[in-house]
Every structure is written in C-alpha cells, then in structure tokens.
Amino acid sequence: MNTSRPANDAERFLRLAQRGERGRLTVYLGMAPGVGKTYRMLQEAARKRAEGKDVVVGIAETHGRSETATLLEPLAVLPRKSIRYEGHTLEEFDIDAALERRPDLILVDELAHSNAPGSRHPKRWQDVAELLVAGIDVATTLNIQHIESLNDVVAGFTHVRVRETVPDSILASAEIILVDLPPEALIERLTAGKVYLPETAGRALANFFTLPKLAALRELALRFAAGSVDRRLLDELALTGAEGDFTVGERLLVAISAGKGGAQVVRHAKRLADLAHAPWTAVVVESGGARSIAGQQREQLAENLALASSLGASLLTVAATDVAQALVDEARNLRASQIVIGKSRRSRWFEWRHGSVAQDVIRKARGVAVHVVPLDEADEKPAQDRDANPWQAPLLALVPVAIAVAVLFAAEGLVPPAVIDMALLVPVIAAAVLLRTSAGLWAALWAALAYNYFFTTPRFTLLISDSANVVTFVVLALVAMIIGALASRVRRQAETSAGVARLNASLARYAGLLGGISDRDETARVACREIGALLDVEAVIVAREGERLVLRGNEGYTALDTVDEAAARWTLEQAVPTGRDTGTLNASDWQFHPLKTSLGLMGALGLARREQGRVIRADDATLLASLLDQTALAHERLVLEEEARQVGTLRERDRLRGALLGSIAHDLKTPLTAVIAAAEAIPDKGIYAEEVRIARSEARRLQRFLGDLLEASRIEDGGIEPRPETVDLTDIVAAVLRDLRQSESGGRVVTRVDPACPLISTDPVLLRHALINLLDNALKFSPEERPIEVALECDDTSAICRVLDRGPGLPADHEALFDRFERLEGSDRVGGSGLGLWIARNFVEALGGTIAASNRAGGGAEFAIALPLDPGAESEVHA
C-alpha cells in the first residue's frame, strides 16, 4: 500500500481507481487462540449471505468446536486441494478453485498458516494477496503474536519465538476487527476443554496461557487495532483530500525553543508520548528573530534538538514569521492530538510588548489539547547578534532621510507643502527594507524631526506654533513607525522565503549531481564535497568490507584512530548516530550517521568540524536529515544498478549458452541418427558382440543427451505448448520402457499399476519425455542387481506415477535437484548433463502437475509425478 500523501488531484484519482480494483481484506484479530475469531468471522459471513452476497468458505478450521461447525454448515465450502508430501496426503486451500469461483467474499482462516510443499505459495497470506489482486474480498483470522513487527516483543515476555509470521504490509490496508475476551474468561474456556484437549490444555495453562502473558497480549492487540484505525483514517483523508481536524490516535507535537528550559519541555513531551504510546515530533519554527539568535543560545537550541532526537522524536523545521500559527498549522498537518510548549515566567510588561507564544497557541489551537510546561527558571530574551558599533543603525538611517530632506529643500516652491510629509515616508520604507527593523524606526524618528525642523513654522527650530502642524507631526511619526515595522516584516518574510528556496535549490542540486553518477567512489566524493560545503564541515563515508572499514569520498582522511573507528563501527552495527555531540562515544572527533534504506544499511556518513562547538548547527539539523536520505538513496541506486547489470549479464549468458547448446544438438542430430542406424544394423554376434551392444547403448544415451539439449532450448524459448488428449497411463509407461529397452525379458524395471486408475487428459509426448528422464536417471545411478519400480496410483484428485530405486538415496539438501545443470555431489545423482530432472520438472508443470523427490525408507530415492484427474484443472493452468 502506498502511504505517501497524493501530490495532486490526478494522483489521488489514480489511487482511488486502483483501490476500487482490489479486493477488501478484513482481519479478525485476537490476542490468542480460543477467543472466538473464526466464530465471529462465520457470524459476519452468515449476515452478509442473508443480505444476498455470494459468500464462500475457502478454508475454515473448527478445531472440533461444535458451535463453530454449526455456523459453518449453511455456507458453501470449496473442496480442499490434496497435496502429497513424504508419503502423506495434506489438504490445503485451493486457490485455483477460488479464482475460478470468484465469490463476492471468501473466508480464508488462519492467515499466518504455512502451506504444504508443492503449493503455489509457501504462505497462506500470499494466497490471500493474490485473491485481493484479483478483486475478491477476503475475510481471515490472525493472532497478535503472528504479526512480524511484534515478533520480538511477544518473544520477550512469552519466551516463545513464533515462526509463522505475517508481514505488516499486507495489514496496511486491511480492516482490523478486534475479537476481545478477558484473560480470565479465556482461561476458563481453556480449563473447560473448549480450546484444546485436556492433556494439551494443561501444558498450555502452565506455559503460554498464563494471566500476565495473556494480559500483555491483550494490550498489544488493543493497541494494534487502535493504531490500525488511526492509520486507515489518515490514509483515507490523504486519499480523498478531505479537510478536518481528525485525530483518532494520539500524536504529540512539541515546540523546541533556544531557551534553557527547552530540555525540560522535551523530557516532559517524552513522558507524555510514552504514557500514550504515541509518536511525537519536535518542531523548530525559524522566524526572523530565531535566525538571528546569538551563538550561545544557538548551541542551546542544537542541544535541545539533539536531546529530542535521542529520545525518539522526529525533527521538523518550519520557516514562518508567526510562530504560534506555524505550530498550530503543523499540528493540523500532522493530525497531532496534543501540543506541548514551554512558558517562562515573564513580566506583564514583557508580554505586553512581545506577546506570549503559549497564549497565542492556546487561542488558535481549536480542537487540539495544549500542554503548557511551566519552566523552572525564566528564559532570557533571545540574545540577538549585536553590532560592534551601536550607533551604526541610527547613522545609516539618517543617510536616506538627509538625502530626501536635501532634495525637498532644494525643490522648495516646486513641491506643494501638503506632499512633503508623504515624501518623507520614502526614506523610512527604504531603511526598513534595506536595513534592519531598528534602522526603520530610527528613520521614522529622523523623518518626523526633519519635517518639524525644516518644513514647519517657525522653521529651523523644533518648536511648533500651529496646532495643525502638531497633528501632522504626530501622525507622520506614527505612520512612519508603522510603515517601517511593516516593511521590516515584509523583509523578514522575504528572507524566510529566500532561505527555504535556497534550501530546496541546494537539495535539488545535490540530488541532481548524485543522480548523474554511476560509480560508487565518485558518488562518495561528490557527496562528501557537497555536504561539506553546505554544512561547513569535513565529511567522509565509511563502509564495511568484511571486517575492515573503508573510507571513501575524502582523500584527506584515509584512516580513523581507535576511538573514531569504534564510533563508526557502532553506527554500522546499531544503525544509530554515534560520536561527538550524540551521547554515545562522545570522545570521538567525528559524528557518524547511518545511511539507511529499504535494502539495509549502506554505510555511515562521518562529519567533523575543526573548530570547537557543535558539529551540526541547530538550523542545519533538517538539512542534514534530507542530505542523509539523499545520500543513502544514491548508494541504494548504485547497488540496484549493479544487481541489474549482473542480472542482465547472466540473462545474456544464459541466452547465448542455450543458443549454443541448441545449435550443437541440432547439428549433431543427423550424423548421430546415421551412427545409431549403422550400429543397429551390425549383428551382435561373434567376438565383438559386447562392443556392439555398448556402441548401441552409448549411441542411444548420446541421442537422449542431445534430445535434452534441444528440449532445454524449447523450454527457454517458451516453446512448450501441451496438446492434451485422453490417454491411459499404462500405455505411456509401456512406451517409456520400450524406449529404454526395459520391456524385454531381463529388464531391470518392474511395474505396479492400480487397476482403478481412470483415463486422464494430458499430453502423452511431454509426459513420456518426463518419465524417460526420471527412469533413465534411476537406471543410471542404481546398482545393477537392484530392480527399479514404477508404480501408478490414483486418489480422488490426482494420478500419481512413482519411480523408486534402491540406490544410496539423496542428500539432506536436495532442494536444488530440479534446477538446471544441477548435479548434487556426494549422492547417487551425479553424472549426466544436469538437465534431465530440470526438463522433467518443466514438462510436468506445463501439464498442470507437480514433481517431488524424497528418500525411501530402507534406502533409495523416490520421484513422484502427480497429475490432476480433472481436465478442467489442467486447462485452467494453461489458460
């Protein structure tokens, strides 16, 4: 499921269309066996059947519970598929029958079940995924301990490692219905024998089904179900574009400031997040004032961010001029249910002049809880970078005002007196836009005084005789100050926008540079060079090759000292930031960050700063996170490109090898036919009779070998097209024995045929080739004195042909026996081309059957071909 937010309406419409084509998955989730998941699923199925929907039971386990069996009786149930495995017949869910039936809703019990070997998919959840892709709605059951992401958590307190797990991805778009039962009630059911048999129930009560373990499992199930509802709601809102303050699950947003109390706010937010088991995000709002804070408080801000990151918070930086509004907007974007913000003790005079961010957030955050953390000590007003010359601002502000006054004084008589006060606003705006806010305010004061001194009577004095001029003077001063403040605010907004634009441009340029490189060392060099320039640091990429650390990207650093190497290894092993300023191995001069992708850990990025102070400044934390992601993705792309090149090389090599072998086999076929004909024409009598028989046998063996090569070429070219017809398996076996010269007296093959076997629909040529390869393999590697047995058996769903020998048998790791050119050393299956069993498998699978190999009791090997008796099943496979 794609959980990213749709970028536009077109993408949103595409995802809605794709969702409409897929089936819906409903999962009945329980804390443990016996809570009633299957019972609840069957109840809901009966209700939907009563509504007129086509409901089918694909597979459901009653576990001997009569009430569950009663609910199952009125529902249509698909026949199970029988699979032979190691002499036993196993019954599994028949996915082919389900796809052919195509009901509105199908019930598939026990999502985490492992299918029997020989099934289409090894896991039942993969069968369910195929049904969903086909547009069929599925209902299934699952216990909380079978969810992959919770496997370690469950094993931690139950001391039982569950092997059958389901990936979280298949549950991402599922509707989770929690089937809840108090632990005491489940223990009562278990004691009463309603879950397991009495002897099994006793062991369960002593081990897994204890009250503390069941209580912990129940809490996990409740939390997972609640989180699933929250995720589905957010996905739905993102997909449909609906607006609204929907906050089902708990999420926290904490405002990070540069004050000393910021760490206290972070720790308080962490405690709240732990109590609510909620994710939390630490937000820094970059306003004009925040960007101009002095070095000491900048370091404090960086420490607060590092603390939040180490405690598990996600970091976010927002550029805005209104801090409170930015926090509220981000809370709504993140669907946060709580905002955590600190409030220092301030005087009323301070709050009247500067306002209170906490109060503004409370006023604007409708529908979101606001936690105000009273700080232990009052934070100082953020210290601004001070100019070396305190008179710089008033003197610079005086310059444009003086120029304007000189122009107006020189143009006296040409400029109407009523325009002079308006004209003096121009230098005020210029000073506020070009310089800082204080310069704009000084310019407003200079303009008001200049208007009074030069242009009101009595002139060249600060006295004002006319009351109208008094009003003009006061209005001019106020208007000038307001315009100056507004112009300064516009300048700060422009600086904020420019900073965001520069950041985006830097990231885009960085991504573009990495995207055009296909060499690992060059990628590392470009990454370290650009990151070093953007963050003003030294950068190096560390990777592990075997037990050795390799440094790339910075020729000035070819080795790490002992402490730095220990920090790098810790990052590569634990995938966490390590080194300077991180709280782990702080003695290192380097700060290492993991480069994590979906493929795993690509390496570590090391950063160092020559001067004292923090390696990463507070305002660069978000930029660093983006650079780490881009660098990791670039290295992941290189790995995928290398794998693609290797796959392409292997595919081309296989194509050339297949073409060469096919060509050789075809060219040798005609002369070999003549050799065989000549050998057959020579009488096998006299002193050379034995040599003649050897020549004939080896010539036929060579003919079969060349036939294998030709068949391999057909398989690789996709040229197998079965032509089914109704045949008797005994006739095919007889033809195979004639081809192998085993039908005459003295042959080593004995047959055993079930007379109840019916005629089947199959391609006799392909089946004959497959049996020849199996029987020839058995004859080749079995002792001369031991017979080979060919047995034909039938059950309700399939016809089975077995080839059994009494040779040394197969090794324990014989899973690759049917692979191409595979010859298992140390077994009786060595020698030959390594193609026979591979060809046999491909032919049997083309016929809709299965082939398996196993060791016989008492020694020897057994190869079994199972073909479906139902012709419709075969035709479906080929369709």
Side-chain angles (χ1 to χ4, degrees), residues 662-673:
S663 177
I664 292 174
H666 189 274
D667 290 342
L668 291 179
K669 185 176 182 180
T670 300
L672 182 60
T673 302

Side-chain angles (χ1 to χ4, degrees), residues 140-216:
T140 186
T141 61
L142 182 68
N143 287 325
I144 190 67
Q145 63 265 31
H146 293 289
I147 297 176
E148 179 64 40
S149 62
L150 300 177
N151 190 257
D152 292 333
V153 178
V154 173
F157 62 81
T158 63
H159 309 295
V160 176
R161 175 70 65 176
V162 177
R163 299 300 177 187
E164 292 183 326
T165 58
V166 172
D168 292 58
S169 57
I170 195 172
L171 305 176
S173 58
E175 179 184 1
I176 305 295
I177 297 178
L178 181 65
V179 182
D180 189 32
L181 191 68
E184 296 83 359
L186 180 57
I187 291 175
E188 290 178 4
R189 284 175 52 84
L190 192 67
T191 306
K194 296 181 178 180
V195 181
Y196 295 129
L197 295 175
E199 59 273 14
T200 307
R203 293 194 301 270
L205 285 169
N207 296 286
F208 191 82
F209 284 80
T210 63
L211 192 60
K213 292 179 182 178
L214 289 178

Side-chain angles (χ1 to χ4, degrees), residues 46-104:
R47 186 185 65 80
K48 292 188 176 181
R49 179 173 174 269
E51 294 174 354
K53 289 192 174 183
D54 182 15
V55 180
V56 170
V57 178
I59 190 167
E61 303 293 347
T62 63
H63 299 290
R65 299 163 193 160
S66 58
E67 62 271 18
T68 305
T70 301
L71 283 176
L72 189 59
E73 285 178 0
L75 298 174
V77 181
L78 290 178
R80 299 189 183 186
K81 183 177 182 180
S82 297
I83 297 177
R84 296 285 296 178
Y85 179 66
E86 294 186 351
H88 301 282
T89 300
L90 305 177
E91 292 187 341
E92 292 290 356
F93 168 58
D94 191 346
I95 186 173
D96 292 321
L99 292 171
E100 182 181 8
R101 178 73 164 71
R102 293 193 66 84
D104 295 333

Side-chain angles (χ1 to χ4, degrees), residues 679-700:
E680 294 290 344
I682 300 174
D684 53 352
K685 299 178 181 179
I687 60 174
Y688 296 109
E690 183 63 25
E691 285 78 0
V692 170
R693 283 192 292 270
I694 293 175
R696 291 175 182 175
S697 174
E698 292 303 314
R700 285 193 296 269

Side-chain angles (χ1 to χ4, degrees), residues 434-554:
L434 299 177
L435 305 173
R436 60 178 57 188
T437 304
S438 58
L441 296 177
W442 275 107
L445 177 62
W446 293 134
L449 292 175
Y451 176 76
N452 179 27
Y453 188 83
F454 291 102
F455 302 107
T456 61
T457 56
R459 303 180 69 177
F460 308 113
T461 177
L462 295 178
L463 298 176
I464 302 176
S465 60
D466 191 350
S467 59
N469 288 335
V470 173
V471 174
T472 303
F473 173 78
V474 173
V475 170
L476 175 62
L478 290 176
V479 170
M481 290 183 180
I482 293 172
I483 290 179
L486 291 176
S488 298
R489 183 175 181 179
V490 170
R491 178 177 59 83
R492 289 196 301 271
Q493 291 177 340
E495 290 176 352
T496 300
S497 300
V500 173
R502 283 194 298 271
L503 175 62
N504 293 335
S506 299
L507 292 175
R509 178 177 177 274
Y510 182 68
L513 288 174
L514 295 184
I517 304 173
S518 297
D519 177 75
R520 179 170 298 183
D521 290 333
E522 183 62 23
T523 298
R525 278 193 293 272
V526 172
C528 292
R529 183 189 68 213
E530 295 298 319
I531 291 174
L534 289 171
L535 302 179
D536 190 24
V537 295
E538 294 290 336
V540 67
I541 289 178
V542 184
R544 185 164 49 191
E545 294 183 357
E547 294 299 321
R548 186 171 61 94
L549 294 186
V550 178
L551 275 62
R552 294 190 177 97
N554 195 327

Side-chain angles (χ1 to χ4, degrees), residues 191-460:
T191 306
K194 296 181 178 180
V195 181
Y196 295 129
L197 295 175
E199 59 273 14
T200 307
R203 293 194 301 270
L205 285 169
N207 296 286
F208 191 82
F209 284 80
T210 63
L211 192 60
K213 292 179 182 178
L214 289 178
L217 288 170
R218 186 188 189 198
E219 182 180 357
L220 276 180
L222 289 169
R223 292 193 180 281
F224 187 86
S228 173
V229 172
D230 186 39
R231 287 192 300 272
R232 282 173 57 84
L233 175 60
L234 294 181
D235 291 342
E236 186 69 23
L237 292 173
L239 195 60
T240 60
E243 299 294 335
D245 301 330
F246 299 95
T247 54
V248 175
E250 292 293 329
R251 285 183 183 78
L252 274 71
L253 180 146
V254 55
I256 304 295
S257 67
K260 297 177 182 178
Q264 183 181 346
V265 176
V266 169
R267 287 189 286 268
H268 186 86
K270 170 62 176 173
R271 290 194 296 272
L272 290 176
D274 287 344
L275 288 173
H277 293 272
W280 57 301
T281 303
V283 178
V284 176
V285 179
E286 286 190 346
S287 61
R291 280 191 301 274
S292 60
I293 58 176
Q296 184 177 359
Q297 289 192 324
R298 186 182 296 275
E299 292 295 320
Q300 184 65 53
L301 177 61
E303 290 179 6
N304 295 341
L305 283 172
L307 176 62
S309 178
S310 66
L311 294 178
S314 301
L315 302 184
L316 182 65
T317 301
V318 180
T321 54
D322 189 335
V323 177
Q325 189 62 51
L327 290 173
V328 173
D329 290 342
E330 283 306 313
R332 289 182 178 139
N333 290 336
L334 297 172
R335 306 289 178 182
S337 58
Q338 303 177 49
I339 298 176
V340 182
I341 189 170
K343 189 177 190 306
S344 304
R345 295 191 301 273
R346 304 285 194 186
S347 64
R348 292 187 180 275
W349 169 246
F350 182 91
E351 291 191 359
W352 183 83
R353 287 185 301 141
H354 300 283
S356 171
V357 176
Q359 292 294 340
D360 291 343
V361 169
I362 293 173
R363 221 172 10 252
K364 297 176 179 180
R366 293 189 301 272
V368 181
V370 180
H371 291 266
V372 179
V373 182
L375 302 181
D376 295 335
E377 55 182 287
D379 286 337
E380 298 176 0
K381 180 184 175 182
Q384 308 291 325
D385 293 329
R386 300 183 181 277
D387 295 327
N389 184 2
W391 296 102
Q392 184 178 17
L395 292 176
L396 290 176
L398 182 61
V399 173
V401 175
I403 294 174
V405 169
V407 172
L408 291 173
F409 197 78
E412 189 174 9
L414 300 176
V415 179
V419 180
I420 294 176
D421 53 349
M422 300 294 295
L424 287 175
L425 295 177
V426 174
V428 176
I429 296 174
V433 171
L434 299 177
L435 305 173
R436 60 178 57 188
T437 304
S438 58
L441 296 177
W442 275 107
L445 177 62
W446 293 134
L449 292 175
Y451 176 76
N452 179 27
Y453 188 83
F454 291 102
F455 302 107
T456 61
T457 56
R459 303 180 69 177
F460 308 113

